Every structure is written in structure tokens, then in C-alpha cells.
Amino acid sequence: MKIRNIVLSDYGKASSIPSPVNRMMTEFAVGFRDGIDINLGVGYVNEDTIPRQQIQVACTAVLSNPQKYRASLNYGGAQGSPNLIESIRRYHVDNRIGGITEKTFEKKEIVIGANGATSLLESITHVLPAGIVVTADPMYYIYCNDLERKGFIVVAIPEDDAGIQTDLLRAKLDQIGRGKENIQFFYVVTVNNPSCAILSNHRKRELVKIVTEHSYEVGRKIPLVFDNAYRELVHDRTVEPMESALCYDELGIVYEIGTLSKILAPGLRIGYLMGPKGAFVDSIIQRTSDIGFSAPLINQEIASYLLDNGIEKQIEKVNIGYQEKAKQVRTWIDDLLSANVQTCSGGSAGFYYYLTFSNIDTHSGSDFFKYLTRTTGKDDIDGPLHDPLPKVIYIPGEYCVHPHGEMVDIGKRQLRISYGFEELPQIYDALKLMRLAIAYCKEI
Ligand SMILES: Cc1ncc(COP(=O)(O)O)c(C=O)c1O
């Protein structure tokens, strides 16, 4: 008898096919040769920034103080460890992060995600009805891909050096007319991934204004979600300190998502959301319970200990390392690639540079990509099949720009390179190979 395969939901169907960027990264990872191939594609933090010893100390301290860190190897509550919530609150207030004071937290809640900031972002896709999400272009492709698989329509507004362009956003809102009713939330990454463009305080205030006006116009509060994944990694001291929009959000629509991944360790999987108390936050807490009760309690308590004991020093150390790398990599980009680079963003925060080439394609079908992944089909370029010449991977801009947005053409000439994970000598080698790849593109 014939039997049909398992019937998947629309989301299941969409998720059964890995996203193109996931496919590309997996293919690369499978044959990856340590010490030979160079991965400028991953968003991994630098291993040296992870405070292994302090984590060990924190773990011992937590386990040996069961009065404070109760049942730390047991299940945790869905909102998160009270110790960690208090540590996060205190970290913000004591350091006046973004201008936050005790008063800012009145009528606000802090909740810990089940699995980093990612799980909180994902939870939002479950508790809000599908509809339009407005974000910046280039966009955080991982989350935008998730949103689209869940049936959301992503509208991406081009950014410049100061982040999402609010005049273009206003124009877009006018243009979509009645469609505005269908906007479910705004999602803005304050140090954008891939571009590392820093959202200016002026633009941030504009955004709060626009979304507040928009909320009044449609007669309901529309959440404005700021993703602060790289907020602590603004390593260029000349940049204006980033304000928190929680400080001036009068209507109660601003939510900020933070993570300890970039300043401590992604493996702890600690992300948090801060925003007005209410049904939206309550539904996120319930969702955390639904997908795994809570983040591992032991990790939350370790994170709490680390926030209480020297986090400022740790952040400083991390930033010194990234700033040094940023400067060095920028010099090499200028030396090796500048003749072909039209724009280069990044270098002040996070650990990505986002380049636009003037006339070289970077997409996965391009000669540049094929050269660097040794898939040209030419022996002299690729090397022997069983032992190819060193490969380099990066994130092509085609995956970072919205496929139906205004940047689709320019995206084909863009790329994100990460200076987070690999060490400087490897990054230098990779950039030299990129130069050879450009020469190859011009030759053929
Ligand atoms: C913009 C952005 N948001 C969120 C995350 C993920 O954070 P977490 O590790 O806390 O899930 C990342 C990771 O690279 C990111 O780039």
C-alpha cells in the first residue's frame, strides 16, 4: 500500500530545507582543515576573550553557596534566576548603562531566555500574530530567515553609517498606506550584524518617535525591539555613548534584548529581555517554560556571579582585544583590497567588517567565491581534489540583504568578514587570498 510521507506544517516544510547560508557554512565546516582553511564567516567570539578560569571560580562559588544559589542544578523558574535578574538590574544601574537608573526599571521586567537572546527573539515570533516586521537592510539574516519561515513579511529599510535611515522609514510607512495596520513589530540591531553600523542616539530617538506615532495611528501599541547583542562591544572610544531607549519610552513600547554571549561566553546561553511589564512579557515567560522551563539554572547562577564580580574589567579586556584586531585588519584591508573596495563599514564595534566591492561579485556563484572555496574546476587554482589549496569562507552580501529589498543588486558585491574567531596571521593570509581572488576575477 502506498503511504504518504509525514505531513509537515508550513513552518515544518520551510524548515526542512536548510537556509542557503546554513548549507554553505555546513558544507565548509565538513571539510574544514584546522591550520589550513580560514573561516571568516562564523560569528564566533574569539576564544581568548572567554574567561575560562573565572567561569571555573564562579562554578565553584555557586555550588559551594547553596544558601544564595539555591538548588542550582535543579529546574529553574521561567522568568529566570532571581539572582541573575538582580545582577542584570544592578549591572545596568551601577554602570548607568545607556543612562539607565533605578527609576528606569520601575514598571519594567527583566526576563531570561531559555537559550540566549536567540530564544527570546524566537519567542516573539510565537506570541505575536504573523504580519509585517520592519528592520534595517542589510539585516540580521539569521533572525529574518526565521521570521519568514514563520510567515512574517520582512520589510527592510536601507541603513547608512548611523543605522536605519529614518527618513526612508517614514517614506516607506507612507507608501504602504493601509498595509501599516499589518505591522506587528519593529526590530533594530543597535550594532548591526552584518555591517557593525552603530545606531546613533539621534536615529534611536527618531525611531521611538516614529513607532509611538504609528502606534497611536493604528490604535494599538507596536513593540519596538532593540537587539543589543554587540552593545558592550563598542570598542572605539570616540563613539558617542549609546543611550537606552528604555529611558525615554513614554508609551511603553520599547524592549531591549541583551546577551552575555559576546562578553562572557556564547556557551552559557544567557540572553535577557528588558521592557514594560504586561501581557507581552508574560507571554514570553510562558513560552520559555513551554520550550524548556528555563535556561540551565547553573549557567544563570554562574552568570550572576560573574556580573557581580568584575564584569567591567572583563568587558574592558574583551574590547581592547577587538579594537587592536579591528585596527590591524582595517590596515590590511586598505593595503590589500582598497583598489576594489567602494565602502567598508565596521571597525568601531563588534567584530565584522562589511565591504562593498566596486566591480567584483561576491555571491556564491561568483568567481571570487569559487576561487576562495577552491571550486573553480581548474586544477591550478583549486589544487588537488583530495587536498585542495587553502580555502577561505566569508558571508556573501546576497544573504545579508533582503531578497526583495532595494539593496539586492549591491548585495551581490558585498561581503561580511569576521575578525572575531580567527587570529591575525590567519586573517592576513585570508585577505591576501582575497586579493589573489580579485586578480583572478579580472583575468578571466
Ligand atoms: C544581532 C544578534 N542578535 C542575537 C545574537 C545571538 O545571541 P545569543 O548568543 O544570546 O543567542 C547574535 C549572535 O551573533 C546576533 O548577531
Side-chain angles (χ1 to χ4, degrees), residues 115-118 121 140 187 189 193 227 229-230 259 261-262 269:
N115 208 300
T118 304
L121 292 170
Y140 178 37
Y187 170 69
V189 186
N193 180 357
D227 182 334
Y230 302 88
T259 177
S261 289
K262 315 290 174 189
R269 307 306 302 126

Side-chain angles (χ1 to χ4, degrees), residues 64 75 176 300 343:
S64 52
Y75 290 115
I176 58 178
Q300 295 190 62
T343 64

Side-chain angles (χ1 to χ4, degrees), residues 242-259:
M242 199 183 279
E243 291 172 354
S244 164
L246 292 172
C247 299
Y248 52 81
D249 164 33
E250 285 174 11
L251 185 56
I253 51 172
V254 168
Y255 298 83
E256 292 197 343
I257 292 184
T259 177

Side-chain angles (χ1 to χ4, degrees), residues 79-353:
Q79 182 168 351
S81 142
N83 287 324
L84 178 56
I85 290 170
E86 177 54 19
S87 301
I88 291 172
R89 197 190 63 77
R90 206 151 5 124
Y91 162 70
H92 284 86
V93 172
D94 290 356
N95 295 292
R96 286 292 200 104
I97 303 290
I100 284 177
T101 62
E102 294 277 2
K103 200 165 161 6
T104 317
F105 280 117
E106 280 172 13
K107 300 196 205 137
K108 301 237 172 21
E109 207 91 78
I110 300 175
V111 305
I112 313 298
N115 208 300
T118 304
S119 60
L120 290 161
L121 292 170
E122 203 269 351
S123 290
I124 295 173
T125 69
H126 286 268
V127 302
L128 295 182
I132 295 173
V133 181
V134 180
T135 194
D137 208 1
M139 57 191 191
Y140 178 37
Y141 58 90
I142 294 177
Y143 186 44
C144 291
N145 180 267
D146 178 17
L147 284 165
E148 294 198 320
R149 274 182 286 122
K150 303 250 176 60
F152 285 84
I153 299 158
V154 174
V155 171
I157 310 292
E159 68 168 19
D160 61 17
D161 286 349
I164 184 168
Q165 298 186 63
T166 40
D167 51 343
L168 299 185
L169 171 60
R170 282 187 197 279
K172 189 72 178 183
L173 291 175
D174 284 345
Q175 188 199 330
I176 58 178
R178 301 257 333 256
K180 276 197 281 194
E181 301 270 343
N182 199 20
I183 296 177
Q184 295 304 338
F185 71 107
F186 291 73
Y187 170 69
V188 177
V189 186
T190 52
V191 173
N192 201 10
N193 180 357
S195 61
C196 280
I198 303 170
L199 180 69
S200 72
N201 289 326
H202 174 71
R203 290 272 171 85
K204 191 180 259 184
R205 283 182 184 266
E206 278 288 296
L207 274 174
V208 173
K209 205 164 148 217
I210 292 169
V211 183
T212 300
E213 283 166 13
H214 178 65
S215 295
Y216 279 116
E217 204 180 317
V218 297
R220 66 189 159 87
K221 291 184 184 181
I222 312 290
L224 168 55
V225 179
F226 289 108
D227 182 334
N228 283 331
Y230 302 88
R231 183 191 54 188
E232 273 78 21
L233 295 195
V234 181
H235 39 70
D236 177 348
R237 304 252 158 147
T238 64
V239 172
E240 60 171 353
M242 199 183 279
E243 291 172 354
S244 164
L246 292 172
C247 299
Y248 52 81
D249 164 33
E250 285 174 11
L251 185 56
I253 51 172
V254 168
Y255 298 83
E256 292 197 343
I257 292 184
T259 177
L260 302 186
S261 289
K262 315 290 174 189
I263 51 169
L264 286 173
L268 290 173
R269 307 306 302 126
I270 301 294
Y272 55 92
L273 177 141
M274 309 189 291
K277 288 183 202 281
F280 178 57
V281 163
D282 291 346
S283 67
I284 297 226
I285 296 173
Q286 179 57 46
R287 167 93 186 135
T288 299
S289 175
D290 294 342
I291 58 177
F293 299 126
S294 73
L297 190 51
I298 182 80
N299 291 10
Q300 295 190 62
E301 303 296 39
I302 289 171
S304 167
Y305 179 93
L306 292 168
L307 283 177
D308 295 349
N309 292 278
I311 190 66
E312 295 78 10
K313 257 210 180 119
Q314 163 67 12
I315 294 176
E316 204 180 307
K317 205 181 123 211
V318 170
N319 278 314
I320 289 171
Y322 285 133
Q323 177 67 359
E324 270 173 27
K325 279 180 115 180
K327 281 192 179 144
Q328 184 56 71
V329 173
R330 179 65 204 238
T331 309
W332 288 334
I333 290 174
D334 290 346
D335 286 353
L336 296 166
L337 308 176
S338 68
N340 298 281
V341 172
Q342 187 178 313
T343 64
C344 171
S345 79
S348 293
F351 41 70
Y352 308 123
Y353 277 110

